């Protein structure tokens, strides 16, 4: 897995920057009721999406939380006084503190089903009655756009999908949340070229092919043989789901 303290410095530039953040924030806010007044963005990363949530909904008081110091430091520069350093499985807030809790590109990073379940339960705890939890799902599979790059990488060891939509829905139900809508948005600027994919491979982006893996060189050679090495393939489309706490 990537070292997100080190990754923080270049995270936004490598992942579509402001255009991607704008698309993500728009999809998320479309699932947050207009009546919401408080929102926690869990796993806020550099705060690039978190800041847009606050700017695009001025009546919403937005708080961000992240486990990684490097990421939280960048987020704090974007939203001074609104960022906390915290573990998503045990957050420093009272029950029912927020009208909405969001987690964008977080659940797929958690190491196992138990951590996903615990995080969703913690998000549910923080919601007031009638509040909504909004999260991205199926992050890894979303990157498969049917390109020649995907055809090459299909032979890699299978990756787990801790944020599989059906699993997230089941954990949400355990925590007293019911499905309340969904949306999709384009990951602008995230279409990979073969050369960029080789770079990602070398730095550990693919969880089942960490740096030094004996199969990594073979995949790099196959990627290097593809045409149009610098041309990005189509952008992925991401899915967001909302779950409501009973009134």
């Amino acid at each position: 897995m990537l070292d997100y303290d080190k990754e923080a410095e270049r995270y936004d530039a490598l992942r579509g920057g402001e255009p991607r953040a704008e698309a993500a924030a728009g999809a998320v806010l479309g699932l947050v009721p207009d009546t919401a007044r408080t929102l926690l963005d869990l796993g806020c990363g550099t705060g690039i999406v978190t800041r847009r949530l606050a700017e695009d909904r001025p009546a919403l008081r937005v708080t961000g939380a992240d486990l990684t110091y490097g990421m939280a430091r960048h987020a704090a520069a974007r939203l001074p006084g609104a960022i906390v350093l915290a573990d998503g499985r045990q957050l420093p807030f009272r029950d029912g503190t927020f009208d909405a809790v969001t987690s964008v590109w977080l659940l797929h990073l958690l190491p196992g089903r138990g951590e996903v379940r615990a995080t969703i339960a913690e998000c549910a705890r923080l919601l007031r009655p009638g509040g909504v939890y909004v999260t991205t799902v199926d992050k890894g599979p979303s990157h498969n756009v049917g390109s020649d790059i995907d055809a090459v990488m299909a032979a890699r060891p299978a990756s787990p999908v801790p944020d599989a939509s059906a699993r997230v829905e089941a954990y949400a139900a355990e925590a007293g949340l019911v499905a309340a809508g969904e949306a999709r948005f384009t990951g602008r600027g995230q279409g990979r070229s073969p050369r960029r994919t080789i770079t990602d491979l070398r730095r550990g982006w693919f969880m089942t092919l960490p740096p030094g893996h004996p199969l990594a060189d073979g995949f790099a050679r196959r990627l290097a043989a593809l045409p149009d090495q610098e041309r990005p393939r189509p952008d992925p489309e991401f899915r967001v789901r909302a779950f409501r706490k009973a009134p």
Side-chain angles (χ1 to χ4, degrees), residues 50-65:
T50 319
R51 180 179 64 187
R52 282 192 172 271
L53 296 175
E55 290 177 347
D56 294 350
R57 189 79 68 84
L60 195 60
R61 180 160 56 86
V62 176
T63 302

Side-chain angles (χ1 to χ4, degrees), residues 19-213:
R20 186 185 78 146
E22 179 183 13
V28 167
L29 287 176
L31 296 170
V32 174
D34 292 338
T35 54
R37 291 295 175 264
T38 54
L39 180 148
L40 173 68
D41 187 26
L42 179 59
C44 67
T46 65
I48 192 169
V49 175
T50 319
R51 180 179 64 187
R52 282 192 172 271
L53 296 175
E55 290 177 347
D56 294 350
R57 189 79 68 84
L60 195 60
R61 180 160 56 86
V62 176
T63 302
D66 203 275
L67 180 62
T68 305
Y69 175 77
M71 291 289 194
R73 180 170 58 85
H74 283 272
R78 286 181 161 126
L79 287 105
I83 306 299
V84 299
L85 193 65
D87 188 325
R89 297 166 297 181
Q90 191 172 8
L91 291 159
F93 303 104
R94 296 191 305 272
D95 295 2
T97 298
F98 298 98
D99 297 320
V101 178
T102 61
S103 60
V104 180
W105 300 306
L106 170 67
L107 298 183
H108 73 287
L109 296 175
L110 301 180
R113 297 183 183 184
E115 286 78 6
V116 176
R117 178 186 279 114
T119 299
I120 291 173
E122 184 71 346
C123 291
R125 179 184 71 80
L126 297 181
L127 287 174
R128 65 162 179 78
V132 295
Y133 172 52
V134 181
T135 184
T136 47
V137 296
D138 299 319
K139 167 67 162 58
S142 296
H143 283 278
N144 188 336
V145 297
S147 71
D148 52 352
I149 295 172
D150 295 318
V152 168
M153 298 307 296
R156 73 185 186 275
S159 298
V161 187
D163 66 336
S165 182
R167 182 174 298 138
V168 170
E169 183 170 355
Y171 294 159
E174 287 179 7
L177 307 178
V178 297
E182 66 175 82
R184 294 179 183 270
F185 67 94
T186 300
R188 300 176 189 169
Q190 284 202 281
R192 288 199 193 95
S193 68
R195 197 173 305 281
R196 174 178 165 180
T197 306
I198 293 170
T199 299
D200 286 343
L201 177 65
R202 298 298 192 198
R203 67 192 184 89
W205 196 93
F206 295 95
M207 294 178 63
T208 58
L209 287 171
H213 192 287

